[in-house]
Amino acid sequence: MLINCAAYREGHKVADLAPEELGAYLDQPDTFVWVALRDSDAAELESYRRLFNLHSLAVEDASHGHQRPKVEEYGDDLFVVMHLIDWAHAGPRLGRALAAPRGVQALLGSGPADGLSGELQLGEVMVFVGRNYVLSVRKGSKLHFLGVRERCEREPELLRQGPSFVLYALMDAVVDRYFPIVDLLESELEEIEQSIFTSGAARDNIQRLYALKRRLMLLRRAVAPMLEMLSKLHGGRTPPICARSEDYFRDVADHLARIHGAIESVRETIGTAIQANLSMVAIEDSDVTKRLAAWAGIFAAATAFAGIWGMNFEGMPELKWQWGYPAALGLITTVCVGLWYRFKRAGWL
């Protein structure tokens, strides 16, 4: 499905185009075309393969999807794959926060981030970049890049760098969308940490911790390969098409390194929280064992007295005494109360 298609010359938009008009602009000097597709099938991509002379292996990867984040060179052209992370089935409060500028910061600043329901959903954006074209293909995600196109058009002096700046802008948008997800995961971890030492919350905490770990690993699988991928676009030998935009790719790599550091920090804290939660479970089990042992000791004393006085012998003490039965009950009660008091002071009850 075609989302947008336009031609740009010297940093300024020339015209919105229909697909059949693209060929007329490809050979014009200082001009490139930018095409955005969504959930395209093999037949649609085949038409653009012939138009832009795309490599068949890259087109095959884009058709099938489910690729690892990567950058591949095919002659002077690039094929870039990035993962899009979206919060699927988010509650109304979270959905508004993710959609609004600085909405996540406002959400986290308003108190506990309760109601963060939903799961992370993985999508992809694959970008073909050549001397005179940019073709982006988005799959499996509702996130759009209309704001990226508007940003580029507002900065014609930077857009003059050509397709490499468009690639940078797309990468920057993808990376910036990771930040609110990391903020939400950190906030959720802080909530769980506050409830770790709450009695009776161990089972709920361990379920939340493992759910959080699963979300974090999904984000990590998107970030870590992309960090490696960006190292090919700045410093050392870079693809010729990216030579004019090295500084911008370095800036994206810096942002991504911050996200990766935050992910590793949250990952280590989750491991510590799991250990602390398991320790709390062991402590609670120990408390239960102490209580059971204390009550068993109290009833053992009562059972011992009852067992002695319950033996059927003529020579039993106080057997013929009028107050023998009440005295025996009183002694049993006194011993049991004494044991209860001692266990209570020891913290077993």
Side-chain angles (χ1 to χ4, degrees), residues 188-204:
E188 188 173 358
L189 177 58
E190 290 175 2
E191 285 187 40
I192 298 173
E193 285 183 307
Q194 292 173 2
S195 63
I196 281 180
F197 299 103
T198 302
S199 178
R203 179 182 293 274
D204 181 61

Side-chain angles (χ1 to χ4, degrees), residues 54-76:
L54 304 176
H55 198 283
S56 58
L57 291 178
V59 174
E60 182 181 356
D61 287 347
S63 300
H64 295 161
H66 305 291
Q67 300 295 311
R68 185 175 184 267
K70 61 182 179 178
V71 57
E72 294 180 342
E73 294 184 63
Y74 295 97
D76 294 332

